Amino acid sequence: MDYSDKVMDHFANPRNCRPMEDADGVGQVGNPTCGDLMTIYIKVEDDKIADISFQTFGCGAAIATSSMITEIAVGKTLDEALAISRNDVAEELDGLPPIKMHCSNLAADGLQAAIENYYETHQS
């Protein structure tokens, strides 16, 4: 299976891979078919993602997409972050093999779940 240099770099050197104890929103998603499990943590300040991190149990593509979505989303408003699509993640990694596209789905879904969790727990 051919992975882009960006996928290999994010797999070997994942960015923002850590738990976040004081997260404002947490999204947990998984794919029971392949066994990938992903948790995305966000810290929100002034309606923007000020910090984001992840913990992923899964294949190299799942780790790479988790890492990449943290780079794409940081600094964006919550609305901008919600608009990040599954294809955006794959494109930023210079593509994924078709059999691994579900991994980019997990990363985008995890971010959306974290934002939804933030809204649920921070309604005034």
Side-chain angles (χ1 to χ4, degrees), residues 38-96:
M38 190 178 294
T39 304
I40 305 278
Y41 305 90
I42 58 171
K43 192 80 174 147
V44 179
E45 292 174 13
D46 299 324
D47 198 46
K48 288 188 176 174
I49 296 179
D51 192 16
I52 182 170
S53 65
F54 76 94
Q55 290 182 291
T56 294
F57 176 83
C59 67
I63 293 167
T65 58
S66 301
S67 174
M68 178 54 80
I69 204 149
T70 67
E71 290 204 323
I72 297 171
V74 72
K76 290 198 176 348
T77 67
L78 294 174
D79 286 343
E80 289 168 339
L82 277 172
I84 297 170
S85 73
R86 298 164 171 187
N87 285 337
D88 292 337
V89 179
E91 286 175 15
E92 285 293 325
L93 287 167
D94 296 333
L96 286 170

Side-chain angles (χ1 to χ4, degrees), residues 88-123:
D88 292 337
V89 179
E91 286 175 15
E92 285 293 325
L93 287 167
D94 296 333
L96 286 170
I99 196 166
K100 291 296 181 180
M101 278 302 289
H102 65 274
C103 297
S104 68
N105 296 355
L106 268 187
D109 292 350
L111 176 60
Q112 290 179 351
I115 294 169
E116 288 168 12
N117 176 254
Y118 169 76
Y119 283 134
E120 288 167 8
T121 57
H122 290 80
Q123 294 298 324

